[in-house]
Amino acid sequence: MSAKNLTWVSFITILIILLANDAIFYFVSKKSLTENLASEMETISNQISLSVDNVESAMYLSDTLVSHALKNTAIAIRNDLPPSYNDVTNEKLVELAEQLNVTAISLFARNGEDIVVVRSSEPRQIGLSSKGWGDYFTAFNQLFNLEPVTVEGVVSEHYWSGKISGSSSNPESLQNKYGYYFDGSTNYIINPYIDSSYIQQIEWTLGANAYVRKTLDENKGKLLAIAGFNPRTFALDEDDPRLYTVSNGVRNPRYSERKILFGSNEYADRKDLEFIEAAIRTGRVSSYTANVNGYEVLKTYFPVTSENVQFPYVIGITSSMDSVQKALHNQLLSHTIIIAVVTAASIIVGLIVIRGINRVKNRVAQDVQDNYTDELNSLLVAVKGQRHDFNNHLDTLHGLIELECFDEAKRYINDLAEETVRIHEVIDIGHPGIAALIQSKLTQSIARHIDFTYEFRNLAGGRLDIVGVKSVDVVKILGNLLDNAFDEVLKLPEGERTVFISGETYENELRFAVKNKLHREVLPEAIDLMFRPKQSSKNSTGIGLSIVKERVTRYRGGIHAELPEEGFIQFNVWLPITLR
């Protein structure tokens, strides 16, 4: 390739790398900036949670105080009314409501199996049936029976006050506080209550919505919306009966079961329900980006559980991604300029290098020739060394024959022939790495008095020529298994130290088996424990089995240990390969 063509190839390659680098930088930076924003939203969510927790504590205290105040009001009403509601007028109740500073006063009396409003300062209340009011109806019956009220709420002697709830006679009034009193001295339950205007005033100044407004004002441009989601009811349809009660055919929303506990969900998304349920289920903060109402936003969901709240809820924060995009564009511009400068410099350096390559081309060719000569000289030295060893063997045999030590000479020849055959067999395995390993283990076995034998059969073309498995990994697998086997048999007396390895190719698998004698019994149920990471197996099979299993698993192969006969253990390994 000419220098000019090489220059163009280098330029195009660098350009592709530049574009790929910019793309990678863009997505990695965007992910990092988004994660930072999500972390910031998590911090804000935590602050909101703590504040709402404090608010709920204050609201709970306020609710309790209001409940007790209503009880005192009810006792004052009882002291000012006759024992029978027949002798009470609605006008009298209007007068008492004004004097005692409550919204209205109603009287409930039994009517067959029902309990209804028989007198009230609010005309719309008169005649209301409570039979379909669930827990309220239960509480009314317990009060009439002079039994302790078991329904959740503020309970004291002869008195019960439930949660803030809607009005049966005025569905638009969602936050009313009711008190119910009956001590047996009258034939009616006294029910003073205050309406939404009072409760809303408290929440507007002290409640969670007040803190939400403050947080949004302090983070204008970053925070778009904050909402407290009720996971118990958010998934329900609007006409689900769990969201309201029915009184005289009128639906009354249940304030405690509202879907949005505080704030608003102005940037609603179809994934809201999925992430709300996931936050409650896992107890972890989660977030995702979306395009809602034409804005790219980050939606974060923070699960909240506390002793001060009635039930777990989820804080949802919708934040703008504008800050992320601005920071990302600035970083990308700076990064592109730097890369462009570096690329231009690299092209100049590349041209200089190409010219340098042309200048040293002849020198490189000469160096190759010199290296070839050195390798040839090394080969001649190796051949001379083998010839020297051969001369030594001949001199030894000549000396034995001169001394008429014919038996010794015969044994020497047999030993030399056996070694030559074994070395030839090892070389003939056809895999240099395995051949070198077997040769090394043969040398070790002779020094350690181990009866080490091997057999490689059914090889493609008679040689182990494989593709798909690195030689270093094959050697590591077999080396660890053989090391384990040698360590094990060295615990046995000489003459009992037996190790055998076999190998073969079958279809598209390379199979090995390493078998050795055991110095003590191994139970079948203990075999699987040998392969556990960091599991010591020195008492049975040495070390390295976790390494072996890791290498085998990497190639999607398998390893299995078995006890083929009494006193022996065998490890079978198979690896998928491609034969050349």
Side-chain angles (χ1 to χ4, degrees):
M1 181 181 295
S2 65
K4 183 177 180 180
N5 290 337
L6 183 60
T7 301
W8 277 108
V9 170
S10 300
F11 175 77
I12 294 173
T13 303
I14 293 174
L15 182 61
I16 293 174
I17 294 174
L18 173 62
L19 294 176
N21 184 72
D22 283 345
I24 294 173
F25 175 82
Y26 179 86
F27 289 109
V28 171
S29 298
K30 183 175 182 179
K31 180 181 178 183
S32 177
L33 291 170
T34 302
E35 289 175 351
N36 290 338
L37 181 60
S39 178
E40 184 179 352
M41 293 304 102
E42 182 176 348
T43 301
I44 293 177
S45 298
N46 191 50
Q47 293 172 350
I48 294 174
S49 172
L50 294 175
S51 299
V52 170
D53 198 14
N54 294 331
V55 167
E56 287 292 333
S57 298
M59 292 298 294
Y60 175 77
L61 178 60
S62 174
D63 182 79
T64 303
L65 293 175
V66 171
S67 297
H68 289 308
L70 287 175
K71 179 180 180 180
N72 294 332
T73 301
I75 293 174
I77 295 171
R78 179 206 61 185
N79 294 333
D80 205 13
L81 293 180
S84 174
Y85 67 83
N86 291 317
D87 300 324
V88 179
T89 64
N90 294 325
E91 290 74 18
K92 178 63 176 177
L93 295 180
V94 172
E95 178 184 340
L96 286 174
E98 292 177 354
Q99 291 176 358
L100 298 173
N101 196 28
V102 293
T103 301
I105 301 173
S106 297
L107 306 181
F108 285 81
R110 290 188 184 273
N111 184 9
E113 295 182 355
D114 199 356
I115 298 175
V116 300
V117 177
V118 292
R119 297 287 187 274
S120 178
S121 62
E122 174 58 59
R124 289 180 295 182
Q125 294 278 339
I126 299 174
L128 287 180
S129 167
S130 65
K131 194 172 184 179
W133 291 4
D135 289 342
Y136 278 73
F137 188 68
T138 300
F140 293 168
N141 278 292
Q142 291 174 336
L143 286 172
F144 268 125
N145 296 334
L146 298 177
E147 299 173 352
V149 178
T150 58
V151 177
E152 183 180 0
V154 178
V155 179
S156 62
E157 186 178 12
H158 306 309
Y159 178 76
W160 175 75
S161 177
K163 301 176 183 177
I164 294 174
S165 63
S167 170
S168 298
S169 60
N170 182 15
E172 296 180 358
S173 183
L174 302 179
Q175 298 170 264
N176 306 282
K177 187 64 179 177
Y178 298 91
Y180 301 91
Y181 181 84
F182 179 79
D183 62 3
S185 63
T186 62
N187 64 352
Y188 51 85
I189 293 175
I190 301 172
N191 166 221
Y193 75 92
I194 56 177
D195 64 8
S196 293
S197 58
Y198 176 79
I199 304 297
Q200 288 174 350
Q201 183 179 0
I202 295 177
E203 286 200 349
W204 182 259
T205 56
L206 300 176
N209 284 309
Y211 187 79
V212 167
R213 291 194 308 274
K214 178 182 178 182
T215 303
L216 290 174
D217 289 340
E218 293 175 349
N219 295 273
K220 285 184 177 180
K222 180 179 292 186
L223 300 186
L224 301 177
I226 299 174
F229 295 105
N230 185 347
R232 300 187 307 171
T233 59
F234 189 77
L236 301 180
D237 295 331
E238 293 300 329
D239 59 350
D240 191 288
R242 285 170 286 185
L243 297 177
Y244 57 85
T245 59
V246 178
S247 178
N248 296 339
V250 178
R251 289 184 179 181
N252 304 294
R254 300 177 64 184
Y255 181 74
S256 61
E257 301 303 321
R258 61 199 186 280
K259 294 184 177 184
I260 305 296
L261 302 175
F262 55 82
S264 64
N265 190 27
E266 297 175 19
Y267 295 83
D269 186 66
R270 57 185 178 83
K271 289 186 178 180
D272 282 338
L273 176 60
E274 174 188 346
F275 277 78
I276 290 170
E277 292 178 342
I280 289 296
R281 183 177 63 255
T282 63
R284 294 196 298 267
V285 180
S286 59
S287 61
Y288 73 96
T289 57
N291 194 291
V292 182
N293 299 338
Y295 292 90
E296 186 174 5
V297 299
L298 174 71
K299 305 206 73 176
T300 306
Y301 301 83
F302 184 88
V304 179
T305 56
S306 171
E307 295 179 354
N308 295 325
V309 297
Q310 297 178 5
F311 48 82
Y313 65 93
V314 176
I315 295 176
I317 297 183
T318 304
S319 52
S320 173
M321 289 286 289
D322 287 346
S323 59
V324 171
Q325 293 293 350
K326 290 178 181 178
L328 185 61
H329 291 160
N330 291 335
Q331 290 187 18
L332 184 61
L333 179 59
S334 301
H335 180 76
T336 302
I337 293 173
I338 293 173
I339 292 298
V341 172
V342 172
T343 300
S346 299
I347 292 175
I348 295 173
V349 172
L351 293 174
I352 295 173
V353 170
I354 291 172
R355 291 182 181 179
I357 290 174
N358 291 331
R359 291 175 183 176
V360 301
K361 186 181 298 182
N362 294 332
R363 187 185 305 169
V364 171
Q366 184 62 44
D367 289 341
V368 171
Q369 181 64 34
D370 293 342
N371 289 335
Y372 176 77
T373 302
D374 291 340
E375 294 292 337
L376 184 59
N377 290 334
S378 298
L379 179 60
L380 292 175
V381 170
V383 172
K384 288 179 180 180
Q386 291 184 353
R387 179 179 178 184
H388 180 268
D389 290 340
F390 183 72
N391 289 336
N392 287 337
H393 292 314
L394 290 179
D395 290 342
T396 302
L397 289 173
H398 181 268
L400 291 174
I401 293 173
E402 285 291 332
L403 296 174
E404 297 184 354
C405 298
F406 300 113
D407 291 337
E408 289 294 331
K410 184 177 180 180
R411 282 195 293 272
Y412 190 86
I413 292 172
N414 289 336
D415 290 342
L416 183 60
E418 180 180 352
E419 182 179 352
T420 302
V421 170
R422 295 185 72 181
I423 292 175
H424 174 73
E425 289 176 351
V426 172
I427 295 174
D428 197 48
I429 288 176
H431 190 286
I434 298 177
L437 175 66
I438 299 300
Q439 179 61 54
S440 172
K441 296 306 176 185
L442 277 172
T443 303
Q444 294 180 23
S445 67
I446 293 172
R448 299 180 181 182
H449 304 287
I450 297 174
D451 180 15
F452 176 51
T453 56
Y454 55 88
E455 178 183 358
F456 292 89
R457 60 186 182 276
N458 297 333
L459 304 181
R463 299 174 64 82
L464 190 59
D465 193 13
I466 59 176
V467 176
V469 181
K470 292 182 179 179
S471 296
V472 65
D473 288 330
V474 174
V475 171
K476 181 172 288 189
I477 292 169
L478 295 183
N480 274 282
L481 292 177
L482 289 175
D483 286 343
N484 290 346
F486 278 29
D487 288 344
E488 178 69 13
V489 300
L490 283 175
K491 300 172 185 176
L492 296 168
E494 293 184 17
E496 298 182 22
R497 301 172 180 175
T498 302
V499 177
F500 172 73
I501 181 173
S502 64
E504 65 174 344
T505 55
Y506 180 78
E507 293 182 349
N508 289 323
E509 282 188 349
L510 176 61
R511 298 179 178 181
F512 292 105
V514 177
K515 177 181 175 183
N516 64 271
K517 197 168 185 181
L518 293 166
H519 85 284
R520 70 176 185 180
E521 181 182 6
V522 174
L523 299 176
E525 55 268 24
I527 290 179
D528 290 339
L529 299 177
M530 299 175 182
F531 297 99
R532 290 187 178 179
K534 299 182 181 180
Q535 177 73 26
S536 175
S537 54
K538 285 293 288 182
N539 292 333
S540 57
T541 59
I543 61 173
L545 291 180
S546 62
I547 297 175
V548 171
K549 187 172 183 180
E550 185 271 331
R551 286 294 183 274
V552 170
T553 304
R554 177 184 297 180
Y555 289 105
R556 298 184 180 180
I559 183 170
H560 171 68
E562 61 180 352
L563 303 173
E565 56 184 287
E566 185 176 358
F568 283 85
I569 190 170
Q570 179 171 311
F571 291 89
N572 302 307
V573 178
W574 57 95
L575 300 167
I577 61 171
T578 301
L579 297 176
R580 288 189 293 196

